Amino acid sequence: MNDTLLQRWKRYDENRSGFTGEHWLVLAAGIATWLATRRHRSLAVRLAGSVLGTLAVARAATGREVPPKMLRYLPFADRH
């Protein structure tokens, strides 16, 4: 087994069961990260907050079982 850490994490994430409201919680965490770090005096903290917040929002928007209410706002979502 020569899987990378990222491959093992993805496999774990695909096999675990989600919970109700998971995407909304991750979306809120991403937005909270943006808001908490946007006025910090350190450029490194602002940059890290921007990256982590963006990753969380992207995960909420593109992860497994995206809620239909969220899908309508995504320009790249499959709307079948």
Side-chain angles (χ1 to χ4, degrees):
M1 263 214 183
N2 292 329
D3 290 342
T4 65
L5 179 61
L6 181 60
Q7 290 170 334
R8 287 185 292 196
W9 182 263
K10 284 182 178 181
R11 191 171 47 248
Y12 164 77
D13 190 44
E14 290 170 359
N15 292 329
R16 72 176 179 80
S17 60
F19 58 90
T20 305
E22 178 177 357
H23 289 279
W24 298 112
L25 183 63
V26 174
L27 177 65
I31 293 170
T33 302
W34 282 335
L35 293 175
T37 60
R38 70 181 177 163
R39 294 190 188 264
H40 198 278
R41 64 180 173 212
S42 170
L43 177 62
V45 172
R46 289 193 313 262
L47 181 62
S50 294
V51 170
L52 292 175
T54 301
L55 288 173
V57 170
R59 170 63 181 179
T62 61
R64 300 178 297 139
E65 303 168 12
V66 178
K69 287 183 180 179
M70 193 181 290
L71 279 176
R72 84 175 95 160
Y73 298 109
L74 300 176
F76 49 83
D78 187 16
R79 293 182 175 93
H80 287 92

